[in-house]
Amino acid sequence: SAVISQKPSRDICQRGTSLTIQCQVDSQVTMMFWYRQQPGQSLTLIATANQGSEATYESGFVIDKFPISRPNLTFSTLTVSNMSPEDSSIYLCSSGRIYNEQFFGPGTRLTVL
Amino acid sequence: GQQVMQIPQYQHVQEGEDFTTYCNSSTTLSNIQWYKQRPGGHPVFLIQLVKSGEVKKQKRLTFQFGEAKKNSSLHITATQTTDVGTYFCAERMEYGNKLVFGAGTILRVKS
């Protein structure tokens, strides 16, 4: 299994600002993903973070709003840009080996005022 | 795109009663994974099913994958208060390994 940490665990931000969330995995993994979970809802995949190349975004999510970096196999960041109250959500990173289960970080609870 | 429908949305049971959540798809699923998310926590992997008609057990939890690979169920026997949380099914896409989650079933257990 993989142990995943995220920073910050929570934040309260003003609209129009940006927040960068960090995700650290304790072992080298092939796949890293970023999900959004709105209050009381299921998880929606934002993008797959690719090491050494641009992230692959899902429908409805764009790089300008959610830029992602993955400089190595164990670390990734997600930035939520130009935030609005609609961006208030829990953001989770996950990792896993191909064909296998995913392990999730503890999440970052974001509130935008 | 591919969608996995999950029911019920919410279930409140008396401790000791059984609980079942169902996932259904209009198309054949390549596999199904189940996750549990405790209140305030993050999803934790429970099981992966890949074979038609597969049944797997983990103590009081029984997981089934339909013969046609279009549905799956999670059954908990004699629920306990430690079972509370949201149970999600998810299909792991063959391309890209990403997960498509069902809506989840919230389980509450009255003691």
Side-chain angles (χ1 to χ4, degrees):
Chain A
S1 65
V3 176
I4 302 174
S5 59
Q6 278 185 241
K7 290 194 293 187
S9 58
R10 60 178 63 232
D11 208 341
I12 301 173
C13 301
Q14 297 296 321
R15 70 170 67 212
T17 63
S18 298
L19 176 71
T20 295
I21 303 167
Q22 299 180 7
C23 178
Q24 179 75 53
V25 186
D26 70 341
S27 58
Q28 292 189 350
V29 291
T30 307
M31 322 291 290
M32 289 184 76
F33 305 90
W34 286 97
Y35 291 84
R36 182 174 71 185
Q37 186 174 29
Q38 295 178 310
Q41 302 296 312
S42 185
L43 286 81
T44 301
L45 181 65
I46 297 171
T48 302
N50 300 308
Q51 196 265 329
S53 65
E54 202 169 271
T56 305
Y57 290 84
E58 297 300 306
S59 175
F61 298 96
V62 295
I63 187 171
D64 289 346
K65 176 67 176 177
F66 297 102
I68 287 170
S69 77
R70 189 175 173 191
N72 57 53
L73 289 174
T74 63
F75 184 79
S76 178
T77 66
L78 168 74
T79 299
V80 187
S81 303
N82 188 25
M83 289 183 284
S84 68
E86 292 70 34
D87 295 320
S88 297
S89 190
I90 298 172
Y91 292 86
L92 299 117
C93 70
S94 74
S95 74
R97 292 173 294 120
I98 196 165
Y99 303 132
N100 286 277
E101 70 271 30
Q102 289 187 18
F103 300 96
F104 286 82
T108 296
R109 186 178 297 270
L110 171 63
T111 302
V112 184
L113 302 177
Chain B
Q2 178 76 323
Q3 278 194 326
V4 179
M5 311 303 291
Q6 189 172 356
I7 57 170
Q9 181 180 358
Y10 180 85
Q11 189 147 13
H12 200 169
V13 301
Q14 191 72 38
E15 189 174 22
E17 291 181 339
D18 292 355
F19 160 78
T20 305
T21 173
Y22 302 89
C23 279
N24 298 287
S25 172
S26 58
T27 58
T28 302
L29 300 165
S30 56
N31 59 80
I32 196 85
Q33 295 186 357
W34 287 92
Y35 290 80
K36 176 184 178 181
Q37 185 174 27
R38 295 181 186 273
H42 58 275
V44 174
F45 174 78
L46 295 175
I47 206 90
Q48 176 170 261
L49 305 171
V50 296
K51 298 177 183 176
S52 169
E54 190 169 15
V55 177
K56 288 187 177 180
K57 294 193 175 186
Q58 290 179 351
K59 298 183 180 178
R60 294 179 294 104
L61 278 61
T62 302
F63 304 85
Q64 292 188 315
F65 203 8
E67 292 289 344
K69 299 182 72 172
K70 290 186 176 182
N71 57 77
S72 180
S73 65
L74 159 58
H75 179 83
I76 302 178
T77 303
T79 55
Q80 300 174 359
T81 55
T82 53
D83 295 325
V84 299
T86 303
Y87 292 84
F88 292 99
C89 62
E91 182 187 15
R92 176 181 51 75
M93 309 307 288
E94 291 298 324
Y95 177 75
N97 217 54
K98 60 186 181 183
L99 296 176
V100 176
F101 280 84
T105 297
I106 300 170
L107 172 63
R108 293 289 178 257
V109 180
K110 290 182 291 187
S111 58

